[in-house]
């Protein structure tokens, strides 16, 4: 571990590498959001102090290298890293999810904490409770292993404690505060309409999309030094085994095509609620996308064609019996 501060050139090299990987991302919103996130991180770190302490620099460098590895693997077509980047960009996790929650449940006063008073009489926002209820009925969250779940849509406060005495006011306030913090941390907030339409266009294929072009790495020819090192390793440890699938144990790279991205976009779409406001009750109605939709059970037919198909069948779907007596053949065999 280095005992000297990192140079400005080293930070600039790391910043350019991160921005370059962001430009290779196959999703248009992810490119913009991840670039803005990295730029904000570097600006905030530069504004802290002119010379950051060594431990702080090491922590920031470790975080930046982790982000660079994530972006690099996402651009190589690894499914889990690419899904994580999409979730970060579309606000299904990370800082942007908290920003979308702040927009969905704004504080009472500008610049203030959303809720500071949890005394008796406090109730959670109605649209927050409605979203939690709709989220609990969305089976795709569990199927996709999103990990966010709130069992209780409202704080459950017992009337008595373990000694059979009424619950104190401070205890009731703490229960409401913990529930509110947990509920806010496990919400899937709605996405802005502009980004939602763009995502739906990418899924349906109506929005044009082309895979980003990556800069080809510079190929270096092997030198005599490398051959001497390989010879030394061979004489010391003997012949080595060939390539194995060990590096693909946690996934393998994929060629990023539109079909490959449509599957990921569809999975992401299942975690984004659609909001419609009821004009009568003035309450939001949430709906969710699904990966596979069932077949249509109804077909539109013309009236003349329908009478021919369903002729001789009653409303219950049973065949109408003919009441006319049948003429029996009087001749016996």
């Amino acid at each position: 571990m280095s005992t000297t501060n990192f140079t400005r050139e080293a930070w600039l090299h790391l910043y350019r590498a991160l921005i370059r990987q962001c430009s290779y991302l196959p999703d248009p919103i992810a490119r913009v959001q991840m670039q803005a996130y990295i730029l904000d991180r570097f600006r905030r770190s530069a504004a802290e102090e002119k010379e950051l302490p060594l431990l702080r620099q090491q922590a920031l460098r470790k975080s930046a290298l982790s982000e660079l590895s994530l972006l690099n693997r996402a651009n190589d077509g690894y499914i889990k890293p690419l899904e994580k980047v999409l979730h970060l960009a579309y606000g299904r996790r990370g800082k942007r999810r908290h920003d979308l929650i702040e927009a969905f449940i704004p504080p009472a006063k500008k610049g203030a904490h959303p809720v500071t008073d949890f005394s008796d009489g406090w109730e959670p926002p109605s649209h927050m409770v409605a979203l939690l209820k709709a989220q609990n009925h969305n089976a795709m969250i569990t199927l996709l292993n999103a990990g966010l779940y709130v069992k209780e849509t409202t704080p459950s406060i017992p009337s008595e404690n373990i000694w059979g005495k009424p619950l104190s006011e401070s205890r009731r306030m703490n229960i409401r505060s913990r529930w509110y913090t947990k509920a806010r941390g496990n919400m899937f907030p709605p996405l802005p309409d502009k980004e939602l339409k763009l995502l739906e266009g990418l899924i349906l294929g109506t929005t044009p999309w082309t895979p980003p072009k990556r800069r080809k790495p510079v190929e270096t020819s092997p030198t005599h030094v490398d051959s001497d090192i390989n010879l030394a390793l061979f004489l010391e440890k003997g012949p080595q085994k060939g390539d194995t699938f060990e590096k693909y144990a946690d996934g393998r790279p994929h060629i990023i095509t539109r079909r490959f991205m449509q599957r990921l976009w569809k999975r992401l779409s299942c975690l984004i609620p659609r909001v419609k406001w009821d004009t009568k009750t003035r309450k939001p109605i949430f709906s969710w996308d699904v990966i596979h939709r069932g077949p249509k059970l109804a077909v539109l037919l013309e009236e003349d064609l329908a009478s021919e198909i369903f002729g001789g069948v009653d409303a219950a779907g049973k065949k109408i019996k003919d009441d006319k007596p049948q003429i029996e053949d009087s001749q016996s065999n």
Side-chain angles (χ1 to χ4, degrees), residues 227-247:
S227 60
D228 294 340
I229 294 176
N230 294 333
L231 179 60
L233 291 175
F234 176 80
L235 295 175
E236 180 182 357
K237 299 182 179 180
Q240 303 295 314
K241 62 180 181 180
D243 294 335
T244 64
F245 290 95
E246 182 179 1
K247 59 182 179 180

Side-chain angles (χ1 to χ4, degrees), residues 115-188:
V115 177
T116 56
D117 185 11
F118 293 95
S119 58
D120 294 340
W122 174 87
E123 292 183 358
S126 58
H127 51 287
M128 176 182 179
V129 176
L131 177 57
L132 292 175
K133 289 181 179 179
Q135 187 171 314
N136 286 348
H137 288 87
N138 183 14
M140 298 304 301
I141 295 178
T142 305
L143 181 63
L144 297 176
N145 196 22
L148 299 182
Y149 180 74
V150 180
K151 184 177 181 180
E152 298 177 347
T153 56
T154 55
S156 178
I157 301 177
S159 58
E160 298 178 350
N161 56 20
I162 59 175
W163 294 282
K165 297 181 180 180
L167 214 63
S168 63
E169 182 180 1
S170 60
R171 175 65 174 155
R172 295 194 299 268
M173 292 175 60
N174 290 335
I175 292 176
R176 296 189 189 101
S177 176
R178 281 197 296 267
W179 176 89
Y180 183 76
T181 303
K182 181 180 179 181
R184 283 177 58 90
N186 288 271
M187 288 175 55
F188 283 122

Side-chain angles (χ1 to χ4, degrees), residues 27 83 86-87 90 92 138 140-141 144 188-191 195-204 261-274 287-291 293:
D27 182 86
E83 269 195 327
L86 292 177
H87 286 189
Y90 284 86
R92 302 306 94 187
N138 183 14
M140 298 304 301
I141 295 178
L144 297 176
F188 283 122
L191 198 66
E195 297 183 7
L196 183 59
K197 290 180 180 179
L198 178 59
L199 176 61
E200 292 176 347
L202 292 171
I203 296 173
L204 297 175
M261 290 301 303
Q262 281 178 327
R263 290 197 294 265
L264 297 182
W265 285 326
K266 190 65 175 179
R267 290 165 60 91
L268 176 66
S269 177
C270 296
L271 303 178
I272 300 175
R274 276 68 170 174
S287 60
W288 305 83
D289 194 5
V290 294
I291 294 180
R293 296 187 181 274

